[in-house]
Amino acid sequence: MKRFRRHGHESQRDKHKQDLYQFNKTVEHGFPHQPSALGFSPSLELLAIGTRSGAIKLYGAPGVEFMGLHDENAAVTQVHFLPNQVELVTLLDDNSLHMWTLRAHTGMSELLEIGRFTLSGPPGAPPSVTRVTAVLAHSSGELLLLGTEGGHVFVVEVPGFRELEENNISMEDVQNRIPEDYVGRRNLECVETLHENPLNPRQVLIGYSRGLMVLWDLDRQCPIQHFLGTQQLESVWWMEDGGNILSSHSDGSYCQWTVTGEDPKHVPKPILCLKLCTFAVHTIPPFLIFSGGMPRASYGDRHCISVIHSKTHEALDFTSRIIDFFVICEPSALVVLVEEELVVVDLQTEGWPVIQTPYLVPLHCSAITCSHHVSSIPLKLWERVQAVGAQQNTHYSKKPWPINGGQNLAPDPPQRDLLLTGHEDGTVRFWDASGVCLYPMYKLSTAGVFLTDADPNDNMNQGSEGEWPPFRKVGCFDPYSDDPRLGIQKIHLCKYSGYLTVAGTAGQILVLELNDEAAEQTVEATVVDLLQGQEGFRWKGQACLDVREEPVLFPPGFQPCALVQCQPPAVVTAIALHSEWKLVAFGTSHGFGLYDYHQRNKILVKCTLNPSDQMALEGPLSRVKSIKKSLRHYSPDKLTKHDTRHHLQEINARLEAEALQEMELAPVQRKIEARSSDDSFTGLVRTLYFADTFVSDSSHSTPSLWAGTNGGAVFAHVLRVPSLERRAEDPVVAHAAKEIQLMHRAPVVGLVVLDGKGAPLPEPLEVAHDLARSPEMHGSHHLLVVSEEQLKLFTLPKVSSKSKLKLTAVDGSRVRRVGVAWFGSRTDEQLESSLVVLTNQGELHVISLPSIKMIVHYPCIRREDVSGIASCVFTKYGQGFYLMSPSEFERFSLSTRWVVEPRCLVEAPLQMRPKNPSSPVHRDQPDGVATEHSSARQVMEHALLNDESEYMRISS
C-alpha cells in the first residue's frame, strides 16, 4: 500500500528548514586579488580599491565595508569619488565608465551601480579619439572631464552621463592656440593628466604626454596660459596656493611653473630628481614624497617610495609593485597600495612606523597551506593570545587607524572565534574571526626549531649603515620560503587546555603549549618509523628537517613541548589531538601513529601501505607530472629566499584533488563501483578520530582511536589511558580492535561517533568545562563513516550496517570536506546537530543526524575552483571559509542564527554642492584618486627647492 505524507506535516518540515537553514555569502576577508586602482574620499573618509577582475571595494572605519562587481570582465583602471557626494566613478580598461552610489536602505547603506557610459566619437573616428586616459571629477560634483588618447577633453554631466558637446575641448582647439615656437615640434599625444585650479574651479590644467600643459578657462573656452615642457610628462601637482604648478618627467626631472595668466618667456630649468608622486602641506618644513626614479641599473628591481622631511630621508622598500598612494592631510599618514598589501605609514611619529591595518591584511604574506577554525574561545585563552601578540607588535605605531568613514552598525560578535592559517614558511597565524574584520592577533614560527638557510641575525627591516639611498623594508608580504619543508599542512588547537599541534610537509609534528614568558629549551625529536621495517620499500622523496641541537630561546607564546618525526618524512595528511588524554595521533601516506606527549613516547605505529603503493614512496605530488615544481623536485640546498614564489596553495589543492584521488570523469559517468586494491595511495591516512565509545562490548565504553584511509579501510584501536593520579607513571596501551573495509573502497574522509541519542560526541574537555552535556551512554552508539561516495552508519560495537546515503551514485559528486555543525533558529535557544558536506561540484549539503537524510543543499563554489574547494573549512555553528583567491577568504553561512556580515551606514557630508559652480571658491583636497595612475607625479613645496644638492645625490 502506498503511503502519502500529510500536507500539514510537510509544511511544518519546510518551516523548520526555513527557521534553521539559509545560505549566504557574507563577507570577503583579506586583501583583494590583483588590485589595479586606488581612490580616496577625504570628505567621506572612504578608501576604494578596484581590481583586475572588475571588483570595486570600499573601506572606512573598521567594519565598514562595501563590495561591488562590474558585469564586464574588465580591469578597473581608475576610481574617482565625486567631491562631497556619496557617488564614485570607475573607469574600466574596456573604456567604459560606471557610476556607483552608496544608497541607504532600511537604515543601512548598500553599494549600487546606477549608470554606465562609453564615449562615442564622430562617425569613422579612430578608437584613440575616445579612449579615456585621464579623469577629473570636478569639485562642483556635476561634471566629469575626460581626457583621451587622441588628445581631446570631453565634458560629461553626472550622474546622468550626458555629454556636453558645446563644452568639449578638442586637440585642434588647443593646437591652434599653441605659441609659434612650439608649433610643429611634436604631436601633443594623449592627455596625461587633468587638474583643477585649487582657487578657481573654472580653470583646468590639461597635461599632454609630450610635455605641453595648457591652463584652460571652462567659461570662456580658451587657453589662459601654456607651459611648454620639453620632456615626456609623467605627472603634475598643483600646489594649494594656486600660484605654482610642478611637473615631473620621464627623464627623472621636474619643473616648477608659476601661474601668471601669461605664457612664460623662458622654460624653467629642470632640476634633476627622482620621479615625484605626492605632496603634503601644512608642515614646516614640508614633506616630499615620491615613487620610482631609482637608477635602473642598480635598483631597477626595487619598488620604493621616498619620504623626505627636513634632514630625514628614507626610501620605503616594498616587496611588490606600487599601484598608487595618497597622503591623508596634515600630513598624518601615507597610504600605499602595492600589488600584494596595503601599507599605512605614520608620518607624525618619529621613525615613521607602520600603522597596523584593521582590514586588508595580506593573509598570503607567505602562501597559505592550510586552515583551522576554532569557535567560542574561552576568555582566558583569548586574553593570553592577545597579550603575547601585543608583544610582537611593538614596532607598530600607537596612532589609531586614520580612515574612519561611515558607521559600523553590526552588533558585537556573540562569541570569540579564531581562524588559524598555516603557511609555507612554517608560520601559523592567529586571526580574530569573530566579526567582519579578520584581524591579526599572533604569529607563531616553527622555523626556529630546525636548521634552515635563514640567518637568525638577518634583520630584513633595516638597511646597512651608510647605505644610499637609505632603504627601509616595509610591509609584511614575503613571497619567499627558506625551505618548503617547513610548510604547515595540518593544525589543531584545543581551546580548553591551550595545547596546539601543527604538522608539516616533511613529516614533522610539533606539540606546543602556551607560555606567557620567554623560555630557553632544547627540542628533541622522537622518530617514528611508519614502514615498520618492511622490506622492498625505498623512499625517494625529500629528507627530513634537521633539528637544532643547541638550546633555543623561544619568545612568549606557543612553545614546543614535543616533536615527532615520521619516517619516511612524507607530508602529514591527518592529525588528531586529545588534550584530556594528552595524546596526539598523526598519519601520512604510509600509516599512522599515536604519541603520548605527557610521557613523551610513542604508543602505536601502524603501517597501512599496500604492496602496490610504490608511488607513496616517491614523495608528494609525484603522480601529478604536470606540476613541475612539486616538493620532491626542490633541492633544499638550492632553495633560498631569493627563489621565485612557489604558489603552494595551488600545489596543495592539487595534492588533495589529483594526487590523492583517482582522475575524475564527468559526474554523470561515475557510479559507485568497487575499486581495485592495486590503486595507488590506498594506504594514505585521510582522517583520525578519538572517541570514548563501545568498541569491544556494549556494556563498557573505552577510549579508542579510529583511522580512515584512502583505500576505504577503517582501523579501530582500543586505548587504555591511566587514571589522572597514575597518568605520569603508567603507560598508555593500545591494541587493535576492529577493521572495516568498505566494499567500494572509496577514500574515507570523515568519522563521527554518535551517542545513544544520536548526537555527536563532545570535544575533549568540553564536558569538564560545563560547555556540553555528557554523552548519552545508554543505548547503542553508532559510527558514521563518510567516504567520498557515500555516508554509512554502523552500530557499535558489532559494526553492523544500519543505513546509508549515496551521493556519487545519485548525482556523480564526491565528498571533499565534512564537518559537524550546530544549528538553531533566531527565536529558539535549542540547537540541533547536522552534518555539513562540500562536494567536488562545489555544492554544500546539510544532512540530518542520526537519520543521515538530505535536508538542504546549496551551490557555493565553482566546480572549476579546485583550490577553493580544497581550502574550505567549516565552523562549529554553520559557517565556513574558503580561499576565493590566494589572498582572500570568502565567508559563508548556512545558518539563520549565526551570520557575520557588514552592516554599515555612510551619510553624505554636510558640505553640499556650491550654489554657483562658476564662482571661484577655495576647496579642500578633492575627492578621487589622490595620485594619478602613474609611477610618478605631483610635486613638492617651494622651500624644498633650496636644497638642490640633496636631490642631485639622490639621482646620481
Side-chain angles (χ1 to χ4, degrees):
M1 174 185 288
K2 287 187 176 180
R3 296 184 178 181
F4 298 92
R5 291 194 179 99
R6 295 179 180 177
H7 178 71
H9 178 74
E10 196 70 25
S11 299
Q12 187 176 1
R13 173 183 282 182
D14 290 342
K15 183 179 184 304
H16 184 65
K17 287 182 184 179
Q18 294 173 4
D19 287 344
L20 264 62
Y21 310 107
Q22 179 180 328
F23 176 73
N24 289 292
K25 292 185 177 181
T26 55
V27 66
E28 296 174 2
H29 297 298
F31 184 77
H33 185 50
Q34 296 181 328
S36 53
L38 175 68
F40 178 64
S41 169
S43 59
L44 297 177
E45 286 195 73
L46 290 181
L47 168 79
I49 294 177
T51 72
R52 292 188 211 171
S53 61
I56 178 73
K57 300 188 177 187
L58 274 59
Y59 302 89
V64 176
E65 299 184 10
F66 302 93
M67 190 270 184
L69 186 64
H70 296 84
D71 293 336
E72 296 79 3
N73 185 20
V76 180
T77 58
Q78 295 187 39
V79 181
H80 299 264
F81 284 90
L82 300 189
N84 302 308
Q85 311 294 319
V86 290
E87 284 82 32
L88 66 153
V89 174
T90 55
L91 173 66
L92 306 189
D93 67 357
D94 66 357
N95 205 42
S96 61
L97 288 151
H98 301 256
M99 178 70 72
W100 300 80
T101 188
L102 289 168
R103 182 171 296 169
H105 177 66
T106 64
M108 293 186 297
S109 298
E110 52 185 345
L111 182 62
L112 299 173
E113 183 179 358
I114 57 174
R116 61 186 65 189
F117 172 74
T118 302
L119 279 175
S120 57
S128 62
V129 171
T130 55
R131 173 161 287 281
V132 178
T133 55
V135 177
L136 171 62
H138 194 266
S139 62
S140 66
E142 299 174 347
L143 299 176
L144 284 181
L145 277 71
L146 308 175
T148 70
E149 192 176 280
H152 305 282
V153 177
F154 293 83
V155 182
V156 176
E157 189 178 61
V158 289
F161 281 130
R162 183 173 69 91
E163 184 181 340
L164 305 178
E165 296 184 13
E166 66 278 7
N167 293 335
N168 291 345
I169 306 167
S170 70
M171 186 174 64
E172 291 75 18
D173 290 339
V174 175
Q175 283 180 321
N176 292 336
R177 294 174 171 86
I178 295 176
E180 293 184 2
D181 61 347
Y182 203 86
V183 174
R185 288 172 54 185
R186 60 190 69 216
N187 183 14
L188 299 182
E189 293 191 353
C190 70
V191 176
E192 186 70 33
T193 181
L194 292 166
H195 274 269
E196 186 178 322
N197 189 332
L199 303 181
N200 186 349
R202 304 306 296 172
Q203 295 179 1
V204 174
L205 183 72
I206 308 170
Y208 293 92
S209 178
R210 295 303 291 265
L212 174 70
M213 294 182 293
V214 177
L215 182 58
W216 190 268
D217 190 303
L218 295 176
D219 293 328
R220 295 186 293 156
Q221 287 290 295
C222 65
I224 300 172
Q225 186 175 352
H226 296 83
F227 307 94
L228 309 178
T230 59
Q231 296 292 331
Q232 180 173 321
L233 183 67
E234 290 288 339
S235 63
V236 168
W237 179 254
W238 201 325
M239 293 161 63
E240 286 201 355
D241 61 8
N244 292 279
I245 295 170
L246 294 103
S247 61
S248 66
H249 302 272
S250 60
D251 63 349
S253 66
Y254 69 84
C255 296
Q256 180 177 355
W257 311 82
T258 302
V259 180
T260 62
E262 299 178 356
D263 289 341
K265 296 181 180 179
H266 304 286
V267 176
K269 178 184 177 181
I271 300 174
L272 289 176
C273 183
L274 301 185
K275 295 181 180 179
L276 302 164
C277 267
T278 195
F279 164 50
V281 298
H282 307 313
T283 59
I284 299 175
F287 278 80
L288 167 65
I289 304 171
F290 53 88
S291 75
M294 290 288 174
R296 293 184 178 91
S298 302
Y299 306 109
D301 60 340
R302 299 269 191 153
H303 312 287
C304 293
I305 291 180
S306 293
V307 182
I308 300 174
H309 180 237
S310 185
K311 298 299 182 180
T312 306
H313 177 190
E314 282 193 348
L316 305 178
D317 189 9
F318 301 89
T319 54
S320 59
R321 184 174 61 90
I322 296 167
I323 304 297
D324 212 340
F325 66 86
F326 60 85
V327 172
I328 296 178
C329 275
E330 287 184 36
S332 62
L334 168 66
V335 181
V336 185
L337 176 67
V338 295
E339 209 162 36
E340 304 291 354
E341 61 185 319
L342 183 82
V343 179
V344 180
V345 180
D346 176 6
L347 297 178
Q348 293 183 327
T349 301
E350 185 178 357
W352 300 331
V354 170
I355 301 174
Q356 175 73 67
T357 55
Y359 44 70
L360 292 171
V361 182
L363 305 173
H364 64 313
C365 43
S366 173
I368 297 174
T369 49
C370 66
S371 304
H372 174 64
H373 187 274
V374 188
S375 299
S376 304
I377 303 293
L379 178 60
K380 184 176 181 180
L381 177 62
W382 185 268
E383 291 176 341
R384 292 179 68 194
V385 173
Q386 269 187 330
V388 295
Q391 294 180 54
Q392 294 180 332
N393 296 333
T394 54
H395 60 285
Y396 284 115
S397 169
K398 300 300 186 293
K399 289 292 179 65
W401 181 243
I403 301 173
N404 290 292
Q407 305 172 49
N408 179 13
L409 304 178
D412 292 336
Q415 59 195 29
R416 295 170 294 273
D417 292 352
L418 278 177
L419 180 67
L420 283 69
T421 55
H423 299 265
E424 94 171 282
D425 63 356
T427 59
V428 178
R429 285 171 166 82
F430 288 59
W431 305 88
D432 178 355
S434 311
V436 171
C437 294
L438 198 62
Y439 190 79
M441 291 183 67
Y442 164 72
K443 182 179 79 170
L444 162 70
S445 176
T446 63
V449 177
F450 306 100
L451 293 169
T452 65
D453 293 337
D455 181 359
N457 298 316
D458 181 19
N459 189 341
M460 293 290 289
N461 289 325
Q462 301 295 332
S464 59
E465 187 175 351
E467 181 182 14
W468 189 265
F471 291 112
R472 175 164 72 98
K473 183 179 174 62
V474 290
C476 58
F477 176 72
D478 186 358
Y480 307 112
S481 173
D482 296 307
D483 194 326
R485 296 174 297 172
L486 291 169
I488 305 298
Q489 296 298 320
K490 297 292 176 181
I491 306 171
H492 189 99
L493 171 67
C494 175
K495 61 187 178 184
Y496 304 111
S497 65
Y499 279 101
L500 170 70
T501 301
V502 297
T505 302
Q508 70 271 26
I509 301 100
L510 275 166
V511 181
L512 306 105
E513 187 176 13
L514 185 57
N515 190 344
D516 301 324
E517 304 293 335
E520 186 176 54
Q521 56 181 298
T522 302
V523 181
E524 296 182 0
T526 300
V527 178
V528 176
D529 179 13
L530 292 174
L531 292 182
Q532 291 284 279
Q534 295 194 35
E535 298 180 357
F537 293 103
R538 186 170 62 88
W539 173 246
K540 303 175 184 178
Q542 73 233 353
C544 66
L545 287 160
D546 293 325
V547 182
R548 292 184 184 272
E549 296 180 357
E550 70 278 7
V552 178
L553 179 63
F554 293 99
F558 283 92
Q559 299 169 354
C561 59
L563 169 62
V564 177
Q565 177 60 59
C566 295
Q567 288 292 352
V571 173
V572 178
T573 56
I575 61 170
L577 174 69
H578 200 296
S579 51
E580 186 174 2
W581 301 337
K582 300 190 184 307
L583 300 175
V584 60
F586 49 90
T588 72
S589 54
H590 308 122
F592 61 92
L594 180 64
Y595 181 77
D596 179 353
Y597 61 84
H598 186 65
Q599 295 188 10
R600 298 192 181 185
N601 56 39
K602 54 189 175 186
I603 306 302
L604 163 69
V605 180
K606 171 69 175 177
C607 180
T608 56
L609 270 180
N610 184 289
S612 63
D613 277 352
Q614 287 294 333
M615 288 192 178
L617 294 170
E618 294 185 6
L621 307 182
S622 57
R623 285 185 64 193
V624 189
K625 300 302 182 183
S626 62
I627 304 178
K628 300 299 183 183
K629 290 186 177 181
S630 67
L631 296 179
R632 74 187 186 93
H633 288 133
Y634 290 143
S635 172
D637 59 346
K638 295 180 182 178
L639 282 169
T640 68
K641 57 194 170 191
H642 302 293
D643 291 326
T644 55
R645 190 178 178 184
H646 298 311
H647 298 294
L648 272 206
Q649 174 57 39
E650 180 181 353
I651 291 178
N652 285 332
R654 295 196 181 188
L655 170 64
E656 297 203 36
E658 298 180 44
L660 302 186
Q661 290 107 27
E662 292 295 313
M663 298 301 292
E664 295 183 4
L665 301 173
V668 294
Q669 297 175 339
R670 175 68 174 143
K671 302 297 181 184
I672 288 186
E673 58 187 25
R675 302 187 185 194
S676 169
S677 61
D678 293 335
D679 285 353
S680 298
F681 284 101
T682 57
L684 186 144
V685 178
R686 296 293 294 274
T687 184
L688 291 162
Y689 181 75
F690 286 108
D692 187 349
T693 187
F694 302 98
V695 180
S696 302
D697 59 68
S698 58
S699 57
H700 299 92
S701 66
T702 180
S704 59
L705 171 66
W706 301 75
T709 74
N710 215 44
V714 177
F715 300 94
H717 285 72
V718 171
L719 309 177
R720 192 189 70 190
V721 181
S723 64
L724 187 61
E725 294 78 15
R726 301 290 304 168
R727 183 65 181 84
E729 293 81 18
D730 296 348
V732 176
V733 178
H735 66 265
K738 297 186 183 300
E739 183 175 336
I740 306 169
Q741 178 62 62
L742 301 179
M743 295 298 293
H744 56 288
R745 298 183 182 275
V748 177
V749 296
L751 296 166
V752 181
V753 172
L754 308 179
D755 68 9
K757 291 185 176 180
L761 297 184
E763 300 174 25
L765 293 174
E766 191 173 15
V767 175
H769 284 75
D770 296 325
L771 295 172
R773 66 170 179 81
S774 298
E776 178 58 62
M777 305 307 285
H778 298 288
S780 297
H781 281 199
H782 292 84
L783 172 68
L784 178 60
V785 178
V786 182
S787 76
E788 280 192 356
E789 300 182 350
Q790 66 181 21
L791 288 74
K792 198 164 186 177
L793 197 65
F794 296 90
T795 59
L796 292 176
K798 292 184 178 180
V799 194
S800 56
S801 176
K802 183 177 181 180
S803 59
K804 63 183 175 182
L805 175 65
K806 296 180 179 180
L807 292 176
T808 304
V810 175
D811 60 9
S813 62
R814 296 184 183 180
V815 176
R816 286 291 182 260
R817 287 287 183 267
V818 61
V820 173
W822 295 83
F823 294 89
S825 69
R826 294 189 180 97
T827 57
D828 188 4
E829 291 297 319
Q830 189 69 26
L831 299 179
E832 62 180 63
S833 60
S834 302
L835 201 69
V836 181
V837 166
L838 175 68
T839 72
N840 64 332
Q841 306 297 306
E843 292 189 336
L844 290 167
H845 299 270
V846 180
I847 297 167
S848 64
L849 294 176
S851 60
I852 58 170
K853 296 184 182 300
M854 194 74 70
I855 303 176
V856 290
H857 66 92
Y858 306 97
C860 179
I861 310 174
R862 293 180 301 107
R863 69 167 72 176
E864 299 84 8
D865 187 1
V866 177
S867 295
I869 293 172
S871 67
C872 184
V873 58
F874 296 124
T875 79
K876 187 178 179 179
Y877 296 106
Q879 298 184 64
F881 301 80
Y882 70 90
L883 284 171
M884 56 182 292
S885 76
S887 59
E888 296 169 286
F889 275 112
E890 176 84 74
R891 187 175 191 145
F892 62 85
S893 175
L894 290 161
S895 171
T896 58
R897 185 166 173 178
W898 286 284
V899 179
V900 175
E901 60 184 350
R903 298 171 62 87
C904 34
L905 176 66
V906 174
E907 298 177 310
L910 295 176
Q911 183 179 355
M912 303 302 291
R913 299 179 183 180
K915 300 277 181 150
N916 181 9
S918 63
S919 60
V921 294
H922 182 274
R923 61 178 175 84
D924 292 334
Q925 180 182 351
D927 289 3
V929 283
T931 62
E932 303 163 32
H933 190 73
S934 167
S935 64
R937 69 201 89 103
Q938 305 172 338
V939 192
M940 53 173 264
E941 183 74 43
H942 175 70
L944 282 171
L945 297 177
N946 297 329
D947 192 6
E948 181 176 332
S949 60
E950 181 78 4
Y951 302 101
M952 293 294 289
R953 185 183 178 194
I954 295 172
S955 57
S956 61

